[in-house]
């Protein structure tokens, strides 16, 4: 959207009282602000109004991705719809009052009238919430803040399920499914399966746990179906998940020593009713080095569950930590499948979903993703698989698939 067009939209919204009893004075654009632009279009502006004196409202303005073909292929209109529904209906319905930016205005038509789709949020940068200085791998201080915030977020689902389960289930139904078109899903499965093998094949070549890893690969041939099985919201572990809880969707507030002390998250386009495990292994396998996992993994999982227990009133029963660990162990490989696809491109700051992918053949796409990040990226993926083996997570996953009669 051109700035002149955006200005007219904001003038109309001010006149309609969206920003309170104020009058329009002008806007200032922030050309230095950056954000992910491959799923939506972002603008960063400061709305200047008269509220018995000059008042500045820093805003993030979000529009559907401009390319119709890309939107349809990746179901971006439905993802935009789900994000607006999260801000407008679900987060307030759960009782969440913090952890995310305030929404001033949101309309989403799920592709019916995309010209009307618009999301306007407060820019938390001006409340001293910032992205971490490291783009991918976080230290334990950042992970600690992030895991506690997600436990706090999940606690609202447990509370509402106890107080009014029917209402909770009605809230979950507001989120729409985003299945890919069959031809896109097939291509995605082929590419993602190759990415998954990238971290396993070197171990097979070195004769590491050959039978176990070969059996595991047989269940990972169709990543989309695998993830739906793993993410299915089996109670009592079903919650509203953020669904994309990685580094570039988390903001931190820092103390005078530059230590993170608080956090907030945004970009709810992948939100879903699913397993509590989703947000945890998204965070941990996409944003930690092997050294941190080796040193702190068990402590992080315990911190998540202790924080959840603290945030849920004592009169509400939640599963034991031991039951949570069993549930988590069966599903944690989902985190590896996500990391196998996204982590290499994150390491070189070249998102796989760029404009050029629309004109590449599937062979060219395979060559691209399997070379992205080079040997360093491959080592990171191998380290995750070694961690899965070390924690004995692959065996429970295979048994889980067999018990669900999942065909490989």
């Amino acid at each position: 959207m051109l700035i002149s067009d955006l200005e007219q939209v904001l003038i109309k919204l001010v006149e309609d009282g969206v920003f309170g009893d104020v009058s329009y004075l002008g806007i200032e654009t922030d050309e230095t602000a950056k954000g992910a632009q491959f799923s939506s279009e972002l603008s960063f502006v400061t709305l200047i109004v008269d509220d018995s004196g000059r008042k500045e409202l820093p805003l993030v303005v979000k529009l559907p991705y401009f390319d119709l073909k890309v939107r349809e292929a990746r179901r971006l209109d439905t993802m935009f719809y789900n994000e607006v529904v999260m801000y407008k209906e679900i987060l307030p319905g759960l009782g969440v009052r913090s952890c995310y930016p305030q929404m001033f205005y949101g309309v989403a038509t799920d592709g019916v009238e995309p010209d009307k789709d618009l999301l306007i949020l407060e820019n938390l940068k001006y409340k001293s919430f910032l992205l971490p200085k490291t783009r991918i791998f976080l230290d334990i201080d950042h992970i600690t803040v992030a895991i506690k915030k997600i436990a706090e977020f999940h606690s609202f689902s447990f509370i509402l399920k106890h107080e009014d389960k029917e209402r909770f289930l009605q809230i979950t139904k507001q989120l729409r499914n985003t299945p890919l078109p069959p031809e896109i899903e097939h291509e995605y499965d082929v590419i993602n399966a190759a990415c998954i093998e990238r971290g396993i094949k070197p171990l097979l070549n070195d004769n590491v746990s050959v039978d176990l890893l070969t059996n595991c690969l047989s269940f990972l041939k169709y990543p989309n179906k695998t993830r739906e099985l793993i993410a299915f919201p089996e109670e009592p572990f079903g919650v509203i998940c953020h669904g994309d809880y990685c580094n570039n969707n988390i903001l931190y507030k820092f103390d005078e020593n530059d230590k993170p002390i608080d956090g907030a998250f945004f970009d709810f386009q992948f939100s879903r009713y699913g397993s509590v495990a989703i947000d945890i292994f998204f965070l941990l396998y996409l944003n930690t080095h092997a050294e941190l996992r080796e040193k702190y993994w068990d402590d992080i999982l315990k911190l998540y569950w202790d924080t959840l227990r603290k945030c849920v009133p004592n009169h509400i029963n939640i599963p034991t930590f031991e039951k949570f660990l069993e549930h988590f162990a069966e599903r944690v490989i989902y985190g590896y499948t996500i990391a196998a696809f996204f982590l290499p491109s994150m390491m070189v700051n070249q998102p796989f979903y760029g404009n050029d992918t629309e004109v590449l053949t599937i062979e060219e796409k395979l060559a691209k993703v399997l070379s992205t990040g080079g040997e360093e990226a491959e080592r990171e993926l191998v380290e995750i698989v070694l961690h899965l083996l070390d924690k004995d997570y692959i065996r429970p996953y295979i048994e889980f698939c067999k018990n669900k009669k999942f065909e490989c």
Side-chain angles (χ1 to χ4, degrees):
M1 179 183 290
L2 297 174
I3 293 300
S4 57
D5 295 333
L6 175 57
E7 183 173 25
Q8 292 306 308
V9 170
L10 290 173
I11 290 173
K12 180 65 167 59
L13 293 178
V14 170
E15 291 174 349
D16 291 344
V18 168
F19 300 97
D21 186 15
V22 299
S23 57
Y24 180 82
L25 293 179
I27 62 170
E28 296 176 352
T29 60
D30 185 355
E31 300 295 341
T32 65
K34 296 181 179 180
Q37 301 282 328
F38 48 90
S39 293
S40 57
E41 301 294 320
L42 298 177
S43 297
F44 299 84
V45 302
T46 298
L47 173 63
I48 305 168
V49 296
D50 185 353
D51 181 22
S52 300
R54 178 187 169 101
K55 181 179 180 180
E56 296 184 354
L57 297 174
L59 305 174
V60 179
V61 180
K62 194 167 190 176
L63 296 166
Y65 194 67
F66 69 93
D67 191 314
L68 176 60
K69 182 179 179 181
V70 174
R71 291 210 318 271
E72 290 178 345
R74 293 168 51 203
R75 295 299 305 274
L76 296 184
D77 286 323
T78 303
M79 288 163 55
F80 192 93
Y81 173 89
N82 283 341
E83 181 168 21
V84 171
V85 166
M86 281 292 294
Y87 282 112
K88 183 179 286 187
E89 304 290 343
I90 295 179
L91 292 171
L94 288 173
V96 185
R97 295 290 180 263
S98 61
C99 307
Y100 65 96
Q102 175 188 351
M103 185 191 75
F104 290 103
Y105 183 80
V107 170
T109 64
D110 199 0
V112 177
E113 295 182 88
D115 290 344
K116 293 184 178 180
D117 291 359
L118 176 65
L119 179 59
I120 301 179
L121 307 167
E122 67 173 327
N123 189 341
L124 288 176
K125 172 183 176 181
Y126 295 89
K127 289 186 176 179
S128 300
F129 283 92
L130 304 170
L131 287 169
K133 292 180 180 179
T134 54
R135 284 198 332 100
I136 310 174
F137 300 115
L138 300 173
D139 62 24
I140 189 58
D141 291 333
H142 288 80
I143 291 294
T144 296
V145 169
I147 204 71
K148 290 172 71 174
K149 297 307 287 190
I150 206 61
E152 178 185 346
F153 176 51
H154 289 174
S155 74
F156 290 98
S157 290
F158 281 95
I159 293 169
L160 185 56
K161 281 193 294 184
H162 173 82
E163 295 178 346
D164 192 340
K165 189 168 184 178
E166 183 176 348
R167 181 165 169 249
F168 172 76
L169 293 176
Q170 286 299 318
I171 285 177
T172 68
K173 292 176 182 177
Q174 294 182 73
L175 290 169
R176 297 182 178 177
N177 293 328
T178 56
L180 297 170
E183 66 279 7
I184 300 297
E185 180 174 348
H186 171 72
E187 180 180 279
Y188 175 80
D189 270 344
V190 170
I191 293 172
N192 200 187
C195 292
I196 290 168
E197 289 183 1
R198 189 178 180 187
I200 295 177
K201 278 189 173 181
L203 296 174
L204 293 177
N205 293 337
D206 290 339
N207 293 314
V208 175
S209 301
V210 173
D211 291 342
L212 190 63
L213 290 177
T214 301
N215 198 2
C216 177
L217 275 178
S218 70
F219 285 101
L220 294 174
K221 289 179 180 177
Y222 307 103
N224 267 309
K225 293 179 181 178
T226 300
R227 288 184 189 137
E228 284 306 308
L229 174 71
I230 293 172
F232 187 80
E234 288 192 1
E235 292 298 346
F237 292 100
V239 297
I240 297 293
C241 303
H242 179 278
D244 192 16
Y245 198 59
C246 58
N247 194 9
N248 59 344
N249 291 330
I250 309 171
L251 300 172
Y252 296 89
K253 184 175 285 189
F254 300 88
D255 66 12
E256 63 277 6
N257 297 316
D258 218 23
K259 180 179 179 179
I261 55 174
D262 197 6
F265 39 92
F266 56 99
D267 273 3
F268 291 92
Q269 58 192 0
F270 288 100
S271 293
R272 62 176 297 158
Y273 172 38
S275 164
V276 295
I278 294 173
D279 291 327
I280 303 171
F281 49 58
F282 239 102
L283 173 72
L284 296 184
Y285 277 149
L286 268 178
N287 299 286
T288 63
H289 273 305
E291 294 82 1
L292 185 144
R293 293 193 294 269
E294 182 178 358
K295 187 174 182 180
Y296 295 108
W297 185 266
D298 293 340
D299 294 337
I300 293 168
L301 296 183
K302 188 64 163 59
L303 177 61
Y304 167 82
W305 205 249
D306 286 347
T307 305
L308 181 69
R309 178 68 276 181
K310 181 179 179 181
C311 291
V312 176
N314 288 333
H315 70 276
I316 298 177
N317 290 326
I318 64 173
T320 64
F321 179 56
E322 289 70 27
K323 288 293 184 183
F324 160 70
L325 290 180
E326 292 176 11
H327 176 88
F328 184 81
E330 295 172 337
R331 293 161 175 80
V332 67
I333 201 167
Y334 183 136
Y336 168 66
T337 69
I338 294 294
F341 190 75
F342 287 109
L343 183 56
S345 59
M346 291 169 63
M347 291 174 64
V348 296
N349 198 24
Q350 292 178 356
F352 172 70
Y353 278 126
N355 294 332
D356 63 331
T357 61
E358 301 306 314
V359 298
L360 298 179
T361 66
I362 189 169
E363 292 78 15
E364 290 170 331
K365 292 178 183 179
L366 278 168
K368 177 181 177 181
V369 298
L370 294 179
S371 62
T372 299
E375 292 181 1
E376 182 181 358
E378 184 175 291
R379 281 196 301 272
E380 292 294 339
L381 298 183
V382 168
E383 288 290 349
I384 294 176
V385 178
L386 286 172
H387 182 261
L388 290 167
L389 289 169
D390 180 63
K391 303 301 292 185
D392 194 24
Y393 285 147
I394 293 180
R395 205 178 310 273
Y397 162 69
I398 293 173
E399 291 303 313
F400 173 72
C401 289
K402 290 179 178 178
N403 290 337
K404 296 296 181 181
K405 295 180 169 53
F406 182 69
E407 296 182 2
C408 57

